[in-house]
Amino acid sequence: MATYDNKAWLLKNIRDAFIATDDTGLCEIVMAGEDFSKIFQTKAIEEKKRMKNRIINRPSTSKGRDSFAEDDERDIATLFDPYPDMEDSDEDPMYGSWFRHEEFGGHRQRSNTAQWLDKKELALKKAAKIKVVKWEEPYPQLTEDQKAEAFKKVEVKRPQKQKSLLTEQLEKCPDLPHRQYLEYAKFDGTAQLGLPTKVFKIFMTTVPEKHQNYPVIVCVIASAKIKDLIGFTCYKYSIEHPDITLGSVHDYGLCIAEDDGEVDWAFPCLDNNEPCSKFGFTCLGLIDTKQKDKIIQVTTPIPDIDMGHSVFCFPKAPDSGQSNINSTKQHTGGSDTSEIMKAMYSVTEGKGLGFQSGPPLTDAPQDKLYRVQLLHKVRASTPVQLCITLDQIEVVPLVTQKHAFWSRPKYFLHSMNSVAWCQILEAKSNKTSFRIVYSPSHDTAFNDSYTAGNSSAFQATAIYKKHDFECDHDTARRIVDKVNTILDLRNSPCRREYKNTKEKKLHTRRSFHTKQLKS
Amino acid sequence: MTMSGDGPAGGSQVALVTGGYDHTIKLWQAHSGVCLRTMQHPDSQVNDLEINPSGQMVAACGYQHIRMYDLASANPDPIINFDGVTKNVSRVGFQENGQWMYTGGEDCTARIWDLRAGRQFQCQRIFQVPAPVNAVVLHPDQSQIMVGGQSGIIHIWDLKTDHNEQLIPEAEASIQDIAIDPEGKLMACVNNKGNCYVWSLGGSPPRPVPKKHIQAHSKYALRCNFSLDSTMLVTTSGDCSAKVWNTKDWTLKRELRHDTQRWVWDAAFTIDSRYLFTGSSDSYARLWDLEKGTLEREYCGHQKPITALAFRDQAV
């Protein structure tokens, strides 16, 4: 548009064309003002009439008069014509603006336009609040009186010695807890002009529990690295809570957290050197990396298992037993793994064990392998590896007698949903035996043959089976504790039913007992 | 101790305002170093900041605009926008009662803007000089304005008589800043060679008499300012330092440097002349104890160099 120097045409074009962007606001002034193109148009018509009359009335050669009569009025270009060449060009000024619309066609992105309009409106509203004072050229003459009034010479007094309020405030406030994080203050994203920013909800897990209720909401510039985000969070927190001491920025990490502040301890901390913009999470937990190391020795990603490949009580060939042990590490997880983990953490957190004092109730939610003896009714016990995860218990035989057909050990895989009970049976001088009770009928997740319909039929006559194991006292206690924690957390139908039946049995026994006493 | 929410409106009238290349203006709680608010200064760096006599507003000048921000509200946008200057506005200041505002800029003018409400007549004035204006300062008697700039000339513009006088302290050097002490007895200027010139204004008749030449800095000097008790003069420079001079004997009192400090663009004293604020290209503002020569506070939050600061203290 800048290539046109015809004012009239420009005004008309601004009015008629669909202006998509104009940051200068000039178009708006034109639109709001008088329609000059119309004024010009009427003026042009008048001018043409006048010129025509002048030419007609002008004494001239005969040719002039005749030729003019043939010509159209339009041939006279006046000062007020929108653009003299316009009618000759392909573009008809009458439909100029219409053609422009046509260019966008029916596919014009309405939402974008609407968005732009919204933005524009907002900017206008903002601008409306700002009083604009234009420089006015000064009056050529100010009278002496006026000058004397406005630019009175005042007597300069020697300023008195004064005490500064700032000096007083500085004396009162010598200790600045946030000072150590000051360098991170520049990552503050609030009120940044033109810089992309990101807002995070940060849950402070390192501070005393009563202060953990609310996350710190921080807004940083998007290019800030995770370590800068940690620093800025500490900065902001120490300003809001000067009474709470935070440690060094280098000791902290940021973990993914849920909306309610539950930190996913299983995931590694976000990489300190990556920019925040790279991550999509908005809820994060600020954790002490040393504490995390204590809580989780092994960090393994939550694996997802392909259910179709899981086997229930699959008899393993003795030879392949060894390789199977390695593969067990991959065998965890159902769809609800993370749910359970969360619940688990909430238990450990809730009891304040995992973070503040003592070893956590379950020292690792990950796979844990135990070497124990599987007890058999009739024959000697066989060594097995017991793998307990949140979702399953796996019994992998450790083969010793390769050729003994009759003692070929079996491989078992029980879904946690099918495990009903776990308890210590007997403590001997150097060994403790414990029992895991399970119900094959509840192992639906691991066995496709049970459909929802007939599984209920099965539940009616639930059959419980058991494995008895033996190992040293400590390991036995640990395994039993671990399994029971997981069972309590899951509280599966299988476990509930088992408990119910057990309680009923107890009750009948008791009532029998009381009856006996009464009689 | 509360460190947030105690803004200038909240009882305390102490306000530190900084602005710079990142197109923002920040209001700080001076004693804690916490940034209370960030205001937007779109499309331009901030060349100068000045808090108005009532302490309610801060004026910021930049490219083509002088904007006024409300210090008491949370509004991040200016409330008044002074418009109609074609180039950079380099300095802004106020008449002591807030009746008018003066500015100077690269359009080779010094201007007076009428701020009076319900005025009978307009008192706008314009003073044309041959070169871009870098420095404008109002004499404490409120009737003379010193205008200095690229040409190296200081014009003394008498507002009542329109008479003007010229001073040329050094040939082929541009005037970067001019300061007059609160008693109106000393005038100092610094130039792009790092030199500082001082005149005595106290004589009778009140004409500037050359008093002292200090080779203050090895590089470009940027600002000069007198303390309220007139005992000190601070000069800041591109040599990454701010230097505080005793006006009694023109000896160096303090050289304020910091490892990370870069160009020092602006400086302001507290009213008891004990502390000094500086703003630097490393995007930090700093508070120095001039008695001890120690760094007391740092103000971090700007993304880019701080080129201007304004400080308003309160007497107790």
Side-chain angles (χ1 to χ4, degrees):
Chain A
M1 210 148 73
T3 54
Y4 296 98
D5 59 354
N6 186 314
K7 287 175 199 165
W9 185 86
L10 269 174
L11 288 172
K12 187 172 164 58
N13 192 55
I14 288 168
R15 210 159 250 289
D16 296 345
F18 186 85
I19 306 290
T21 54
D22 171 35
D23 295 334
T24 63
L26 266 177
C27 293
E28 244 149 317
I29 294 169
V30 174
M31 298 294 275
E34 277 185 280
D35 189 348
F36 282 99
S37 57
K38 255 188 193 160
I39 296 169
F40 281 135
Q41 215 173 347
T42 44
K43 277 197 177 176
I45 292 166
E46 283 169 21
E47 183 79 0
K48 273 174 197 165
K49 270 184 191 160
R50 242 184 304 137
M51 283 172 83
K52 201 173 161 187
N53 290 341
R54 219 185 300 154
I55 292 167
I56 292 168
N57 298 335
R58 191 172 57 191
S60 65
T61 59
S62 60
K63 198 197 169 199
R65 195 169 170 171
D66 294 341
S67 68
F68 192 84
E70 287 157 23
D71 280 346
D72 195 11
E73 249 182 37
R74 295 194 299 185
D75 282 352
I76 310 169
T78 74
L79 178 69
F80 303 104
D81 272 323
Y83 215 74
D85 304 330
M86 197 166 274
E87 268 116 325
D88 297 331
S89 72
D90 290 340
E91 195 180 45
D92 190 336
M94 291 298 284
Y95 302 102
S97 87
W98 188 79
F99 277 121
R100 269 166 226 277
H101 287 296
E102 193 69 350
E103 277 168 21
F104 291 98
H107 305 291
R108 196 176 72 217
Q109 290 196 334
R110 201 43 225 174
S111 64
N112 276 356
T113 315
Q115 264 178 18
W116 174 81
L117 283 172
D118 283 350
K119 255 191 191 170
K120 196 77 196 161
E121 201 182 313
L122 213 77
L124 277 173
K125 268 187 192 164
K126 219 176 174 182
K129 283 186 192 157
I130 303 170
K131 183 182 163 193
V132 177
V133 178
K134 281 255 172 212
W135 172 257
E136 291 167 70
E137 284 309 316
Y139 283 141
Q141 287 293 320
L142 275 179
T143 64
E144 289 302 315
D145 289 349
Q146 285 172 337
K147 271 189 193 171
E149 188 192 324
F151 307 106
K152 208 187 295 170
K153 189 167 181 164
V154 297
E155 199 187 328
V156 183
K157 285 181 207 148
R158 193 192 168 93
Q160 290 173 325
K161 259 214 174 287
Q162 287 169 312
K163 272 194 166 179
S164 159
L165 177 60
L166 176 73
T167 305
E168 217 176 77
Q169 286 172 333
L170 285 168
E171 277 159 10
K172 277 186 203 156
C173 161
D175 188 32
L176 292 167
H178 67 275
R179 202 166 166 175
Q180 56 172 320
Y181 311 112
L182 193 68
E183 60 180 301
Y184 299 100
K186 64 161 80 82
F187 298 104
D188 190 352
T190 51
Q192 284 302 331
L193 201 62
L195 276 179
T197 57
K198 277 201 84 154
V199 178
F200 292 95
K201 266 200 231 169
I202 313 267
F203 294 90
M204 310 290 284
T205 66
T206 59
V207 300
E209 229 170 282
K210 60 173 179 173
H211 294 289
Q212 288 189 15
N213 294 339
Y214 300 100
V216 189
I217 293 165
V218 294
C219 174
V220 290
I221 53 173
S223 60
K225 290 178 178 165
I226 292 297
K227 61 179 175 194
D228 303 330
L229 176 59
I230 296 170
F232 183 67
T233 309
C234 291
Y235 171 76
K236 216 176 158 199
Y237 195 83
S238 57
I239 287 171
E240 281 164 19
H241 307 271
D243 46 321
I244 295 170
T245 341
L246 295 173
S248 161
V249 168
H250 307 289
D251 294 342
Y252 295 136
L254 282 174
C255 273
I256 300 157
E258 300 295 325
D259 277 356
D260 57 0
E262 298 303 337
V263 175
D264 274 332
W265 293 87
F267 287 104
C269 293
L270 304 184
D271 189 339
N272 272 353
N273 288 315
E274 292 291 348
C276 304
S277 51
K278 202 179 152 183
F279 301 100
F281 320 103
T282 51
C283 288
L284 298 169
L286 186 89
I287 57 136
D288 191 328
T289 44
K290 284 178 202 153
Q291 286 287 347
K292 184 185 165 89
D293 290 344
K294 270 185 215 162
I295 294 156
I296 299 164
Q297 286 98 357
V298 232
T299 45
T300 44
I302 293 177
D304 51 341
I305 186 166
D306 189 349
M307 289 303 190
H309 290 255
S310 314
V311 213
F312 172 63
C313 283
F314 184 73
K316 282 273 174 186
D319 306 26
S320 64
Q322 207 61 40
S323 66
N324 189 55
I325 293 165
N326 298 332
S327 68
T328 54
K329 284 181 184 151
Q330 304 304 320
H331 282 264
T332 57
S335 57
D336 53 353
T337 312
S338 54
E339 290 288 325
I340 298 302
M341 277 192 170
K342 254 187 273 163
M344 188 124 161
Y345 301 142
S346 70
V347 166
T348 48
E349 267 184 314
K351 289 180 181 166
L353 285 167
F355 305 90
Q356 311 299 337
S357 59
L361 191 61
T362 53
D363 49 357
Q366 274 71 32
D367 307 19
K368 199 87 193 197
L369 299 172
Y370 303 95
R371 206 188 156 110
V372 295
Q373 293 286 327
L374 176 60
L375 300 178
H376 303 281
K377 268 179 191 165
V378 286
R379 51 195 164 88
S381 58
T382 49
V384 291
Q385 191 142 7
L386 194 60
C387 175
I388 300 161
T389 71
L390 288 165
D391 299 283
Q392 60 190 13
I393 294 178
E394 199 177 23
V395 185
V396 184
L398 298 170
V399 179
T400 45
Q401 302 148 298
K402 283 189 178 179
H403 306 290
F405 168 78
W406 48 271
S407 69
R408 178 182 286 175
K410 276 183 175 176
Y411 167 84
F412 300 103
L413 179 66
H414 303 298
S415 154
M416 255 322 162
N417 288 332
S418 70
V419 177
W421 195 255
C422 180
Q423 72 173 99
I424 288 189
L425 288 178
E426 192 182 358
K428 292 171 197 165
S429 59
N430 57 346
K431 295 256 154 126
T432 298
S433 57
F434 61 95
R435 173 173 290 177
I436 291 174
V437 182
Y438 65 97
S439 161
S441 56
H442 279 92
D443 222 346
T444 46
F446 284 68
N447 198 326
D448 289 345
S449 63
Y450 297 121
T451 59
N454 58 19
S455 73
S456 61
F458 266 93
Q459 276 162 19
T461 53
I463 306 155
Y464 297 100
K465 292 187 172 184
K466 64 181 194 295
H467 292 300
D468 289 342
F469 303 93
E470 194 178 65
C471 61
D472 64 88
H473 304 306
D474 288 349
T475 316
R477 165 111 5 234
R478 269 210 299 278
I479 294 171
V480 172
D481 281 351
K482 189 181 171 101
V483 173
N484 277 328
T485 311
I486 297 170
L487 290 180
D488 283 342
L489 284 168
R490 283 194 168 255
N491 200 15
S492 64
C494 171
R495 176 161 175 87
R496 288 201 299 271
E497 276 164 36
Y498 186 81
K499 268 178 154 175
N500 280 342
T501 14
K502 225 176 162 176
E503 265 167 35
K504 262 182 208 162
K505 269 187 194 167
L506 259 172
H507 187 71
T508 42
R509 255 186 232 157
R510 229 183 261 141
S511 55
F512 175 70
H513 191 65
T514 43
K515 266 179 199 166
Q516 269 191 331
L517 281 173
K518 276 177 188 170
S519 64
Chain B
M1 181 188 68
T2 54
M3 294 212 291
S4 52
D6 191 24
S12 159
Q13 281 295 314
V14 177
L16 172 67
V17 188
T18 58
Y21 281 167
D22 64 359
H23 296 191
T24 65
I25 293 165
K26 286 181 185 281
L27 173 66
W28 305 88
Q29 194 175 42
H31 68 274
S32 67
V34 174
C35 177
L36 298 172
R37 270 173 59 208
T38 305
M39 291 160 278
Q40 309 283 2
H41 189 261
D43 311 323
S44 169
Q45 80 284 357
V46 180
N47 294 327
D48 193 18
L49 288 167
E50 183 87 11
I51 296 170
N52 78 343
S54 72
Q56 293 298 304
M57 286 195 279
V58 65
C61 62
Y63 183 66
Q64 295 185 335
H65 296 280
I66 303 108
R67 298 186 173 104
M68 298 262 251
Y69 296 83
D70 189 357
L71 285 176
S73 79
N75 185 0
D77 299 309
I79 48 172
I80 310 173
N81 186 1
F82 293 91
D83 220 336
V85 189
T86 54
K87 289 182 178 167
N88 253 317
V89 182
S90 42
R91 288 291 190 275
V92 60
F94 292 95
Q95 189 256 356
E96 64 176 8
N97 301 325
Q99 292 194 342
W100 42 267
M101 173 174 81
Y102 60 92
T103 62
E106 287 175 1
D107 63 350
C108 309
T109 65
R111 289 166 200 250
I112 288 182
W113 303 71
D114 198 339
L115 301 179
R116 296 170 303 167
R119 59 202 178 193
Q120 300 277 309
F121 62 95
Q122 292 179 339
C123 71
Q124 284 102 273
R125 303 282 290 280
I126 191 158
F127 181 66
Q128 194 82 36
V129 293
V133 174
N134 295 330
V136 187
V137 70
L138 177 66
H139 190 285
D141 73 7
Q142 313 291 306
S143 72
Q144 299 172 68
I145 285 181
M146 317 292 168
V147 184
Q150 288 302 117
S151 62
I153 305 170
I154 298 174
H155 302 264
I156 303 172
W157 175 25
D158 190 313
L159 294 170
K160 254 173 94 180
T161 61
D162 253 339
H163 180 79
N164 91 76
E165 201 175 325
Q166 294 183 6
L167 294 173
I168 308 173
E170 186 177 335
E172 288 171 27
S174 65
I175 305 287
Q176 293 305 312
D177 200 23
I178 308 171
I180 297 175
D181 84 305
E183 289 177 46
K185 288 182 177 158
L186 293 169
M187 175 169 80
C189 86
V190 286
N191 68 18
N192 63 343
K193 304 272 170 72
N195 287 324
C196 175
Y197 293 87
V198 184
W199 290 265
S200 154
L201 299 176
S204 174
R207 308 195 65 208
V209 179
K211 194 179 170 92
K212 183 74 189 171
H213 166 218
I214 317 167
Q215 281 180 316
H217 300 275
S218 57
K219 280 184 187 169
Y220 219 94
L222 292 158
R223 284 276 189 167
C224 56
N225 246 325
F226 284 97
S227 64
L228 197 79
D229 61 6
S230 304
T231 60
M232 287 178 276
L233 170 73
V234 63
T235 57
T236 73
S237 160
D239 71 358
C240 308
S241 77
K243 288 181 180 174
V244 181
W245 310 86
N246 290 308
T247 55
K248 206 171 146 192
D249 49 7
W250 303 106
T251 51
L252 182 65
K253 185 188 169 83
R254 293 276 173 219
E255 182 169 344
L256 306 170
R257 283 185 185 272
H258 188 269
D259 290 343
T260 60
Q261 185 165 272
R262 286 160 59 207
W263 283 40
V264 186
W265 286 88
D266 205 351
F269 287 94
T270 54
I271 51 167
D272 59 359
S273 307
R274 184 174 163 189
Y275 295 97
L276 180 81
F277 290 96
T278 57
S280 167
S281 281
D282 65 354
S283 78
Y284 278 68
R286 294 187 171 84
L287 176 67
W288 310 83
D289 186 329
L290 295 174
E291 279 171 26
K292 298 182 199 153
T294 50
L295 176 63
E296 290 297 311
R297 292 283 185 275
E298 288 182 294
Y299 304 86
C300 173
H302 278 286
Q303 301 286 316
K304 287 181 180 169
I306 293 176
T307 51
L309 64 81
F311 175 65
R312 183 189 167 88
D313 208 340
Q314 198 188 21
V316 283

